[in-house]
Every structure is written in structure tokens, then in C-alpha cells.
Amino acid sequence: MPEPVRPPERPVLGIETSCDETACAVYDGERGLLAHRLHSQIRLHAEYGGVVPELASRDHVARIHELVRQVLAESGVPAAELGGVAYTAGPGLIGALMVGASVAAGLATALDLPLIPVHHMEAHLLAPMLEERRPTFPFVALLVSGGHTLLVAVRGVGDYELLGESLDDAVGEAFDKTAKLLGLPYPGGPELARLAEAGNGSRFKFPRPMTDRPGLDFSFSGLKTAVLTTLPQAPEAADRADLAASFQEAVTDTLAIKCRRALDATGYTQLVVAGGVGANLRLREKLGALAQQQGFELFFPRQAFCTDNGAMIAYAGWARRAQGRATHAGPLFTTPRWPLAELRPPVAA
Amino acid sequence: MNILALDTATEACSAALQVAGRTLARFEIAGRTHTEKLVPMVHGLLAEAGIGFAQLDGYVCGVGPGSFAGVRIGVSFVKGLALAHDRPVVDVSSLAMLARPPLALGAQQVTCAIDARMNEVYVAAYRRSADGSPEALLDEQVCAPADVPAVAGAAVAVGSGWGSYESALRAAVGADLSAIDAAALPTAADALALALPRFAVGTTISAAALLPRYLRNKVALTLNEQRAARRG
């Protein structure tokens, strides 16, 4: 279907409901981010010890209307003036994705606007573009979250090459599972990082998995097992802090080693770190030091845009739209699995 | 008044449009393909009527009970539609939708049951009120077929629950059943008919307040409950 005549500079509304955050934002090509809002479900899921998909979907449907209304009001953009409606189409929890997708489809249908399905991880790796200091293409992106651990060569919007990924647990998952072993409350990752601050990271010797051989893939499930077998040596609270710190050192060292390899392999001189684990301060510190030592440039989105958010969806939608890749209300596209390596727009103009 | 109604709560996907006093309707068995059917269906209706979305005065949405995911598709889609031009919404129960056709055809009482899986039914009973609309005799609830409260009087039985659990429901309800239609599905046309009086008197809601009616609200065990279950 030919692209309708609508100036690409019009702002795009982005809706994110892939997991346990309901979020939306309005992004404008000239004026940047106009408004963004987020509701986190962390407290809702805490008493269940993890995200309950059905409860996540229920909360999304209860919250989303007000969040969309607020960002439209705050941005000063009447819905009819939007250039498109972007939504997270996957990967994610299918029931949760469906809520954001259906709201987006309703808005786009009633207003005859382009509907823009966005890949959640693509949005994460483009998130640094929301900052004033932003990378230029090409760059290497490290995507680290509860569901993903990827190293990607980013040559342009939509032009990605998967360099490496985790063969088992994602980094965030390894953090969460290890936190659970240490008896920390959900969500464990940030709790573990907090505990590690007080610990001695060189006390326990943990492996740096898959760094002793060439390649850019990761494996973190063995580290979790290593923590489990070391646990009897750490009976006191102070020991636990050392254990947490030693685990965090092993993970962040491994990530740093692979990032350096990816930069060497591509010859690129910019590294972008995105995804929830990108908020980890020790990782930031270590990559910062490496960047200085190796002479590459390092980019992080602000903390709030490392974790799931609507701004990155609005931006990715806008970028896709600027390429002319959006669709008028066709079949609504959502998918729980969507490999980034296969990232081609599901519906191209 | 131009009103668009949608329902996606069951395996049916349906839409109905009231425009200038006439009603246009679409109905398909969608299974799990509501997201594929909904948008073309709505476009088709508006095109047939020759109107745009800006000319709609409000929306009607089926809110279940039914498939959780299915209901959320319709509710979320209607939220988006209504947000676009800030239009009011009327929410309609799928059980009331099932009750409407038999009552309109003269039945005095209807017991509606939708298979809720997990050996339960969504159930409600209605009688015909003075104006012909359904008036609840038994408020909608989810329970095992054998636990459905008895409702006296001669009634018609409708809904998939009667296909799955006829004997248990018969024994529990105790009513004198004149007919059973287990193949009946809720339709947007019925939702529209039930909602029009609410537009007339202004008892609409904001799309922000439009929410699925799940009835089954215990969907996961808390950590404490998981621990208790392990001890037990």
C-alpha cells in the first residue's frame, strides 16, 4: 500500500506494554521527546515472586488509557495531529503486548494514522538517540536485560547484525536467579547490585564464562551454579555481600571483555549499552574505564531509558516512520518471539 | 446517533453499526484471530455506511465474561477508538448479550452459561422486564456447574456452558427448561441493542473506565500461598 501523504516530521506516539511496565511517550523529530509516562508493576508482582503474565495484562488494560491521555495532553499534540502510532509488537508476553497493540490499532484506525510495529530490542538499542550526546552510525550495541544478552553491530536504523548472544540465561536473569539464591526479594537484580556495593568482589573466584575461547557468545547459567556451590562458605551477611560482589565482578568483567572483542572485530569506535542491566553502576564504571584505556566512545541512555519505557518506542517508531516503513491499519502484528537478526519490518510500505 | 459496537469475548468476533436509524452488522467465528478480523471488519462497516470515525457518537464494547485475552483485545481496541475523538462508551456483559435474542422473541426467562474452562461456567439468569430488556434474576458469577444457584421458573437455556455441562447445570438450576441453545454466541448486534437506551439516557462511561469483567479473579498464588501449598 503506498504511504499516505503525511509529513514525517509529525510527532509519533509510542506505546510499550511488553512486560511489567505500562508506558507511553510522544517523540517529535525536531523538538525531541515531548512527553513520557510510565507505570511500573513491580509492586504488583512482588508478592508473587515474579511477573504473573495474566496480572500484567490486567494492569496494562487498566492503566493505559490514562497514560496515553496524559502524554497527549502534556505534549500539546492533539491525537489527530500525530504522524503515527507506534507500539511494541514483540518480543514480550503475548497477552501484555496485545493490550498496547490493540490500543494503538484503535487510535490509528479512528484517526487514519500509520500504525508502526516496533521491535522491543531495536527500541532499546536506539534509546541512546534520545540523549543530547548520541552516537552516530555505525556502532556496537550491548543489549543486556532480563530477557536478552546481545551484541549487535548497528549500521543504521533497521540494519543490524547479531554478533553474539547468550546461549542460556540472559544477564538480568542470572542476576535475578542469583539474588534468589541469596534470599533477596524480587526483583533481585538491583537488590543484588545494592548488596554487592558493600562486598569484596575479589574474595570468591568465579569463572568469566566463555572468555577463554574466541567468539562473542555468552553463557551465564554456570555462574549461577558456581554461586550455589559457594553458598555454604558464605553463612554471614558480610559473606553474602562478598558473594554478591564477586558474582557481579564476574558478570561485568565478562561483558566488558566481549564488548572489547566486538569493537575489535568490527573496527567500530563507539559502544552503546542499553537494556535494564545497562543501569548497573559497576558495569558502567568498568566500561567507562575500558573506553578510556582503549580509546572508544561509550554511550548510555539515561537510567530511566535503560529499563523498559515508552520514549524508546516512540523514537524507534519515529525513526521507522521517517524511513517510510509503517502501515495503515492492516492485520495487527504481535509476536512473543522475534529474533533481532531477522529484523525486517513485518509490513513495509 | 451513530454508534459502533464490538465484541471479542468469545470465539466469535463481531461488530455492529447503528447509523441513521439502521443497523449494519458483521459476525465471524474468529477462534484466536480476533486481531486479524477486527480492523477490516470495522473498516468494512464504516465504508458500507459511508461515514468516518469522526462521525461516530460513541462506542459499545462487550466486556466479557469470556476469554481474558479476547476481551482485552476488544476493550483495548475500543479504548483507542474512543480516545481518538474523545467519545463515550457503554460496556455490555456477554451473558446479557446472550439473553437478549430469546427475550426479544418472547421468552420470559433465560439462564445463560458460558464455558469458563477449569470445570466452571460464567452464569447469569435474566427475566424479561417491562420494556423487553434483560433484568438480572441471578447476578453473573463464575462457579462449578453443580454450584449454580437454583432459579425458579420456566426458562430458556443459552450458551456454551450448556453444551459442556448440561446435566450438572440442569440439576443445579432446577428450572423448567423449554429449550437449550448451546451454540448461541454473544454478538455485537445484541450489545448494540442493549446499549442504545443507555446512550439515550446518558448513562455512558468514559473509555478510561472501560474494563474487562473477568469474574475469575484468582489467577496466581502469592509467595505465601505457594509456601502454604508446599507445606500442605
Side-chain angles (χ1 to χ4, degrees), chain A residues 46-50 52-55 57-59 61-66 68-69 72 79-80 95 98-112 180 329-332 334, chain B residues 35-36 39-40 42-43 53-54 59 68-69 72-85 206-212 214-226:
Chain A
E47 69 173 305
Y48 297 90
V52 180
E54 174 61 22
L55 294 181
S57 301
R58 289 186 179 200
D59 204 52
V61 82
R63 308 263 180 195
I64 191 153
H65 186 281
E66 186 55 17
V68 172
R69 199 197 56 73
L72 288 175
M98 211 65 102
V99 172
S102 301
V103 170
L107 270 167
T109 300
L111 296 165
D112 195 23
K180 208 167 186 176
L332 194 50
T334 49
Chain B
T35 52
E36 289 163 40
V39 176
V42 165
H43 273 298
F53 287 91
Y59 294 93
F68 298 160
R72 273 193 294 267
I73 290 167
V75 164
S76 303
F77 188 64
V78 168
K79 278 177 182 284
L81 291 172
L83 241 165
H85 297 106
S206 147
L210 178 69
L211 286 174
Y214 300 106
L215 297 189
R216 179 179 288 146
N217 289 318
K218 188 71 197 165
V219 295
L221 296 180
T222 64
L223 285 172
N224 286 336
E225 288 163 340
Q226 290 167 29

Side-chain angles (χ1 to χ4, degrees), chain A residues 307-328:
Chain A
T307 43
D308 291 353
N309 65 88
M312 67 181 194
I313 304 301
Y315 177 80
W318 174 84
R320 284 291 185 177
R321 166 103 187 97
Q323 286 186 326
R325 291 180 179 180
T327 175
H328 258 240

Side-chain angles (χ1 to χ4, degrees), chain A residues 226-247:
Chain A
V227 170
L228 185 63
T229 53
T230 312
L231 213 48
Q233 303 169 36
E236 304 296 329
D239 300 323
R240 296 289 162 108
D242 291 345
L243 198 59
S246 302
F247 167 82

Side-chain angles (χ1 to χ4, degrees), chain B residues 46-94:
Chain B
L46 267 75
E48 188 181 336
I51 61 165
F53 287 91
Q55 287 152 276
L56 289 173
D57 300 295
Y59 294 93
V60 178
C61 187
V63 292
S67 144
F68 298 160
V71 172
R72 273 193 294 267
I73 290 167
V75 164
S76 303
F77 188 64
V78 168
K79 278 177 182 284
L81 291 172
L83 241 165
H85 297 106
D86 194 20
R87 294 294 191 263
V89 176
V90 165
D91 52 341
V92 179
S93 149
S94 9

Side-chain angles (χ1 to χ4, degrees), chain B residues 137-196:
Chain B
L137 282 175
L138 173 67
D139 283 335
E140 49 190 29
Q141 51 197 277
V142 60
C143 61
D147 297 337
V148 173
V151 189
V156 169
V158 291
S160 57
W162 290 96
S164 311
Y165 307 106
E166 186 187 329
S167 55
L169 281 173
R170 263 185 191 277
V173 170
D176 172 17
L177 299 179
S178 58
I180 295 180
D181 181 0
L185 288 166
T187 75
D190 292 314
L192 181 65
L194 293 173
L196 285 176

